[in-house]
Amino acid sequence: MGSADQNYDLEIAKPIPVTKSKECLLHARSNNDVRFRVLKEFLENVRKVVFETKLFVLFPAIPMAFVAHCYNFGNPWVFALSLVALTPLAERLSFLTEQIAFFTGPTVGGLVNATCGNATELIIAMFALRQRKIHVVKYSLLGSIISNLLLVLGSSLFCGGISNLYKEQKFDHKQADANSLLLLLGLLCHMIPLLFNLRSMDSPKSDGNPVLQLSRAISIVMLIAYVAYLFFQLKTHAQLFEPQEDEGDDNEELEKETASIGCWSAFLWLCGMTIIISILSEYVVGTIEDASETWGISVNFISIILLPIVGNAAEHAGSVIFAFKNKLDISLGVAMGSASQILMFVVPLCVLVAWTMGIQMTLDFGLLETGCLALSIFLTAFTLQDGTSHYLKGVILTLAYVVIGACFFVQRLPFDDSDVNNLGPVGNAVV
């Protein structure tokens, strides 16, 4: 009986540890499946974000820039590597905001895309302000506006005209008219402090406070005008800013487009890349003068031409691709929308942020710089007034950008003696 009881007890006890072991095994397998699924999703996101762009060959410049900075390879090397590294990051910002746009809708998504597309310029401007390099702030923002209006838009019209060589491309000029009006208002706001300074040159010398106060007041007006433009774009006249629908297959292709990665994944990648852009932007701003002296290129040319080309990589690539697909309305929205945002939002924001930091930054960009801005705006407005486009218009805009670039290449202002480079704290006039 004793042995029989023992066998009976063993038979009852056996299923208990077996059941627990099965549960543990299933739990371990589920944990492994979750980890494997998360790892697989992460690797898939890396493939789509990093390797699905033609600029992925430039990504190694990011760690190289960090190494050059940490091991003191020299400021020109740090500047060059940081500038190269910013190019794919700026382009990927546009990709990530496009992914987010699938979840927010086309109008809000387009606004987010334009805002994040200008994130590189805004970050560089803020770091330059912190280091009191007003000339870098002004030149980089001015160059970004001119680059969007002439280089980005010009190359887009040229590529679109080449793809439709023997016919004209048509677009809805109402969106272009709204952006042109906003750009003309911004030009007026920049010309008034300049004209005020020119008028006061023959009058007894003042401490510069009237121009500074005028610039700050005008900056507030510019921000109000931009808010009104956003209300106009997003609420009352949103239909003017929606891309025109094409016929047949194009609509089917648009309907098939879906997000490549999830909304939260895109948001996390966006935050991570923004942090990296901030670090690289600080490297660029801190080493720009040494790079200028070593290469024999003026700070003006680097700030107006090189920095905006890097910062506008996303707008440039997207605008050209849409022009090739005969979607000029989107190309115009990207190029002119970005230029309007920088002129009417980023520039006055920098003036007000400088005010809070105790830095005297005005809207007087100088006679030559404001003249180039005015000619760029007028040339773009005249180019788009009839609602049609061909490759010759793109050639004209692009060549105009080449002429302006050559102008600033030969202009070599003394770094210490130029009024625009006066970087003193409050109490020293900064033009």
Side-chain angles (χ1 to χ4, degrees):
M1 290 294 292
S3 61
D5 292 340
Q6 289 178 355
N7 292 334
Y8 180 74
D9 292 339
L10 288 175
E11 290 177 0
I12 295 177
K14 280 182 180 179
I16 298 176
V18 171
T19 303
K20 289 184 177 179
S21 63
K22 286 183 179 179
E23 291 178 354
C24 293
L25 182 60
L26 291 174
H27 184 67
R29 285 180 179 176
S30 63
N31 287 338
N32 290 333
D33 290 341
V34 171
R35 293 171 184 171
F36 179 76
R37 193 161 53 247
V38 171
L39 179 60
K40 183 179 179 180
E41 183 179 354
F42 174 75
L43 293 177
E44 184 67 15
N45 288 340
V46 170
R47 183 184 67 82
K48 292 178 180 178
V49 174
V50 177
F51 294 102
E52 283 193 355
T53 172
K54 295 180 180 179
L55 297 177
F56 79 94
V57 294
L58 300 180
F59 273 102
I62 299 175
M64 292 172 65
F66 292 147
V67 171
H69 179 266
C70 293
Y71 289 93
N72 297 321
F73 284 3
N75 285 341
W77 278 104
V78 175
F79 177 83
L81 290 172
S82 300
L83 202 63
V84 172
L86 284 172
T87 305
L89 291 173
E91 192 273 334
R92 288 289 86 184
L93 280 184
S94 177
F95 167 77
L96 293 172
T97 52
E98 286 175 1
Q99 299 305 306
I100 296 176
F102 284 105
F103 302 95
T104 60
T107 305
V108 177
L111 179 62
V112 173
N113 195 355
T115 303
C116 292
N118 293 325
T120 305
E121 293 92 334
L122 182 59
I123 292 172
I124 291 176
M126 290 303 164
F127 277 107
L129 271 181
R130 195 180 70 172
Q131 299 184 24
R132 297 180 180 272
K133 296 182 179 180
I134 308 299
H135 62 298
V136 176
V137 178
K138 291 185 174 182
Y139 282 155
S140 62
L141 296 180
L142 174 71
S144 184
I145 299 169
I146 296 176
S147 175
N148 274 298
L149 293 178
L150 299 183
L151 180 62
V152 175
L153 185 58
S155 58
S156 299
L157 297 182
F158 174 76
C159 293
I162 292 298
S163 63
N164 299 269
L165 192 58
Y166 297 104
K167 60 181 180 180
E168 289 184 336
Q169 288 181 294
K170 297 185 181 297
F171 57 89
D172 188 0
H173 62 85
K174 295 178 181 178
Q175 179 185 167
D177 291 344
N179 279 291
S180 297
L181 286 174
L182 196 66
L183 289 170
L184 289 172
L185 174 61
L187 176 61
L188 174 65
C189 294
H190 279 75
M191 288 188 66
I192 289 178
L194 171 66
L195 296 175
F196 193 93
N197 262 340
L198 292 177
R199 183 200 63 81
S200 61
M201 290 177 63
D202 298 330
S203 62
K205 187 169 182 174
S206 64
D207 58 358
N209 284 333
V211 176
L212 183 63
Q213 296 169 1
L214 180 63
S215 297
R216 291 169 176 172
I218 292 177
S219 296
I220 297 174
V221 173
M222 293 172 71
L223 291 177
I224 294 174
Y226 185 72
V227 171
Y229 170 76
L230 291 182
F231 186 78
F232 178 85
Q233 178 183 5
L234 299 177
K235 292 293 183 182
T236 61
H237 292 73
Q239 68 277 4
L240 298 181
F241 297 87
E242 294 177 356
Q244 298 296 313
E245 295 183 354
D246 297 328
E247 298 179 356
D249 296 335
D250 289 339
N251 283 337
E252 294 179 0
E253 291 178 3
L254 287 174
E255 291 177 0
K256 292 179 181 178
E257 291 181 356
T258 56
S260 299
I261 61 177
C263 181
W264 282 107
S265 298
F267 178 76
L268 293 176
W269 277 98
L270 189 68
C271 294
M273 287 193 173
T274 303
I275 293 173
I276 297 176
I277 288 176
S278 301
I279 299 174
L280 294 175
S281 299
E282 187 173 12
Y283 292 170
V284 167
V285 172
T287 58
I288 186 171
E289 290 89 2
D290 292 334
S292 172
E293 294 177 3
T294 303
W295 298 342
I297 303 176
S298 65
V299 176
N300 313 358
F301 181 80
I302 294 176
S303 301
I304 292 182
I305 304 300
L306 296 185
L307 291 184
I309 288 177
V310 171
N312 291 333
E315 291 93 337
H316 203 163
S319 182
V320 169
I321 291 172
F322 285 125
F324 267 123
K325 295 180 179 180
N326 203 25
K327 300 174 183 177
L328 276 186
D329 292 297
I330 302 179
S331 295
L332 292 176
V334 171
M336 297 193 70
S338 179
S340 301
Q341 187 177 69
I342 293 175
L343 183 61
M344 298 298 294
F345 175 72
V346 178
V347 172
L349 179 65
C350 288
V351 173
L352 298 181
V353 171
W355 186 8
T356 63
M357 298 170 65
I359 301 173
Q360 295 184 351
M361 176 179 173
T362 71
L363 291 175
D364 182 4
F365 278 40
L367 182 60
L368 176 63
E369 292 79 4
T370 307
C372 291
L373 175 64
L375 292 175
S376 301
I377 293 175
F378 285 132
L379 185 59
T380 303
F382 281 122
T383 301
L384 303 176
Q385 64 179 344
D386 60 349
T388 63
S389 175
H390 44 74
Y391 72 90
L392 181 60
K393 291 185 177 182
V395 171
I396 297 300
L397 292 179
T398 305
L399 291 180
Y401 184 76
V402 172
V403 172
I404 292 178
C407 169
F408 288 105
F409 182 79
V410 300
Q411 183 196 31
R412 297 181 180 274
L413 295 177
F415 179 74
D416 293 324
D417 298 333
S418 172
D419 288 337
V420 112
N421 296 339
N422 188 351
L423 310 179
V426 174
N428 298 332
V430 177
V431 179

